[in-house]
Amino acid sequence: MTGPLLNKPPIEFYFDFISPFGYLGSTQIDAIAARHGRTVDWRPVLIGITVMKIMGIKPLTETPLKKDYLRHDAPRMARLLGVPFCPPEQKGGNSLAASRAFLWLKDFDEGLARRFAHAIYARRWAQGRDISDPQSVVEVATPLGVDAGELLAAIDSPRAKQDLKDAVDLAVGKGVFGVPYFIVDGEPIWGSDRLWMLEHWLSHGSWDRAPPMQSGAQ
Amino acid sequence: MTGPLLNKPPIEFYFDFISPFGYLGSTQIDAIAARHGRTVDWRPVLIGITVMKIMGIKPLTETPLKKDYLRHDAPRMARLLGVPFCPPEQKGGNSLAASRAFLWLKDFDEGLARRFAHAIYARRWAQGRDISDPQSVVEVATPLGVDAGELLAAIDSPRAKQDLKDAVDLAVGKGVFGVPYFIVDGEPIWGSDRLWMLEHWLSHGSWDRAPPMQSGAQ
């Protein structure tokens, strides 16, 4: 910390509710930002549905070798971070409805949208339950004070669909290809395994302070 | 450190001379192991040529979005680690000859093979020069006392080709899909951005000591 940094731009945090690593990042980013006097702009993307098509690659869950590594990796990363982790038994699913709901809520109240995001992530990755069905999104949102009928209408509206499409296009334009993905002061940082790197930048504003990985590991 | 760990198995370090991130890992692994009383078993693989075919994905350098991120990432990671980095101007190349030479040298003298590996990596990623041509491999090896004629014959021998193929098959059988890739006490750890995780395991032998990423980032 070098004093008040209120004029610094927010950390852009790109996430997809369908990603366990996005979940892991979501459990840390607000506290990391707060420690450095920064704010966070939460931005949903659709990695599985949209971004991988642009990259021309298949889903990670269908990639030999890597899929086994990732299945082993997510729970141990959760242990390292000290957060609950219980992946859903049923595979698949998508984050369309939840992401549209998030953007609709964000228009009204960023804090509410963030509480909703944490609750959706918890449902999917700490409780192992579905989030694809709009009704499941309603179950998460109504305890936060959101009107079920308005939410369902919003999820299904052309406006919400367009807003999410625009959000994905904007993210792709910035190079986002996976989650969690952070952009801080123009520096792109990808992965829940790179929170150390995000903190390094927030502390030093440079990559030159060596040797951070040696001293940073313990 | 919890005392002498001489009976612990070596850290398996999988590398490909063609990878800048393999280079970054190669500059750190011996010192990390030494700090924890461990040894390192250096094992060449052919990620670009062989492993990605098994995974059914195209090279990272041809993957939209990700390729731009990686081109930005390698130099800043080198700065973070405080090591020289100068990628070759000409793209492409392969590590076949250098990897065969490494395995041939390793059969005689592990220390010599490691010095050769560091010199090949330095040529490619600190000096930005080609390593594909067997003659370039000779240029690296002869200052280390290796006979040029014997080396060239070995590189071209059926035995060396089979040894490298076997090494790649063994690595794939263990799940190796990228470099640097470390296996320590059965735990697979991928990436030059996860040296903190390797150190965490070496220090604690567990993923449960929380919160490592918070304390580890400063």
Side-chain angles (χ1 to χ4, degrees), chain B residues 79-100:
Chain B
R79 286 168 65 187
L80 276 166
L81 293 167
V83 297
F85 187 75
C86 173
E89 284 185 26
Q90 73 180 82
K91 297 196 179 184
N94 70 72
S95 49
L96 273 172
S99 300
R100 288 180 197 152

Side-chain angles (χ1 to χ4, degrees), chain B:
Chain B
M1 292 279 306
T2 54
L5 299 171
L6 295 175
N7 293 325
K8 293 267 189 178
I11 300 166
E12 297 171 21
F13 168 50
Y14 297 88
F15 64 94
D16 186 337
F17 291 120
I18 218 63
S19 163
F21 298 99
Y23 160 68
L24 295 175
S26 79
T27 66
Q28 309 298 310
I29 185 59
D30 289 332
I32 289 173
R35 279 202 292 282
H36 296 275
R38 299 287 283 256
T39 58
V40 184
D41 185 6
W42 286 52
R43 301 185 175 194
V45 288
L46 302 170
I47 294 297
I49 297 175
T50 299
V51 178
M52 284 183 172
K53 278 185 189 154
I54 291 165
M55 299 170 75
I57 63 174
K58 58 192 167 193
L60 296 173
T61 50
E62 295 169 19
T63 303
L65 306 179
K66 203 166 195 174
K67 67 178 179 183
D68 300 318
Y69 179 84
L70 295 178
R71 194 177 302 126
H72 178 76
D73 192 49
R76 72 180 173 178
M77 287 292 286
R79 286 168 65 187
L80 276 166
L81 293 167
V83 297
F85 187 75
C86 173
E89 284 185 26
Q90 73 180 82
K91 297 196 179 184
N94 70 72
S95 49
L96 273 172
S99 300
R100 288 180 197 152
F102 174 87
L103 285 176
W104 178 69
L105 292 171
K106 190 182 177 188
D107 256 356
F108 290 104
D109 181 340
E110 280 215 33
L112 173 61
R114 192 170 311 195
R115 289 193 295 281
F116 168 79
H118 283 299
I120 286 280
Y121 260 135
R123 178 181 172 102
R124 172 79 183 189
W125 295 110
Q127 300 159 23
R129 298 168 68 197
D130 180 55
I131 58 159
S132 309
D133 181 29
Q135 194 55 47
S136 69
V137 175
V138 165
E139 282 175 30
V140 167
T142 47
L144 301 173
V146 178
D147 181 84
E150 283 188 49
L151 177 63
L152 284 170
I155 288 173
D156 207 35
S157 71
R159 162 77 187 276
K161 292 173 185 175
Q162 187 63 46
D163 282 354
L164 184 55
K165 186 180 177 306
D166 290 347
V168 174
D169 288 346
L170 181 70
V172 167
K174 292 193 170 215
V176 175
F177 60 87
V179 294
Y181 198 100
F182 311 95
I183 300 180
V184 54
D185 308 330
E187 281 291 327
I189 297 174
W190 166 54
S192 61
D193 50 2
R194 289 209 181 196
L195 299 175
W196 63 270
M197 197 173 176
L198 177 61
E199 294 234 33
H200 180 93
W201 181 269
L202 291 168
S203 293
H204 307 297
S206 155
W207 302 122
D208 279 330
R209 189 186 160 105
M213 298 192 74
Q214 179 173 332
S215 65
Q218 297 304 323

Side-chain angles (χ1 to χ4, degrees), chain A residues 189-210:
Chain A
I189 298 174
W190 166 54
S192 61
D193 50 2
R194 289 209 181 196
L195 299 176
W196 64 269
M197 197 174 176
L198 177 61
E199 293 233 35
H200 180 93
W201 181 269
L202 291 168
S203 293
H204 307 297
S206 154
W207 301 123
D208 279 330
R209 189 187 162 106

